[in-house]
Amino acid sequence: MSIVVAYADTPPGHAAVAAALVESARESEPVVLVPAVRGAAVPDSDELARRWPAGGDRLTVERADLGDPADAVVQVAQRLDARLVVLGLRERTPVGKLVFGSTAQRILLEATCPVLAVKPGQA
């Protein structure tokens, strides 16, 4: 099995990768990063290993042909029969707390496996 991360190059995205690496350490499961921001660059394998030296060798990147990042994360998780999807949440204002970001909300609603949501500093 594998763990899929809805990846963004932000503090919440980094917290999601760190949490996924902790979760994957027990079974040495692969951690698959799926870009969760349209058009954003994703680090290559050397950059991943440099950023996360403990477990960076278990990190890979996959993309889906779908235009919507939430659909891409859910599709990759289903294709890989992922055990878990991890996503990072950012701080919200009281009004913003009424609704998650649309990508995070759609992943939570549409994922067919458990979803772990983390905030920076909690992983």
Side-chain angles (χ1 to χ4, degrees), residues 53-71:
D57 58 332
R58 293 191 310 273
L59 294 173
T60 59
V61 176
E62 285 212 24
R63 296 178 186 272
D65 293 333
L66 303 172
D68 183 272
D71 289 342

Side-chain angles (χ1 to χ4, degrees), residues 68-115:
D68 183 272
D71 289 342
V73 170
V74 171
Q75 181 190 55
V76 170
Q78 289 175 339
R79 182 167 31 88
L80 298 176
D81 192 24
R83 177 176 68 85
L84 181 69
V85 172
V86 183
L87 56 88
L89 298 177
R90 55 192 161 159
E91 295 291 328
R92 293 288 184 162
T93 63
V95 172
K97 289 180 182 178
L98 292 173
V99 180
F100 291 130
S102 61
T103 299
Q105 184 178 26
R106 290 199 48 227
I107 292 169
L108 283 168
L109 294 173
E110 296 176 12
T112 56
C113 64
V115 177

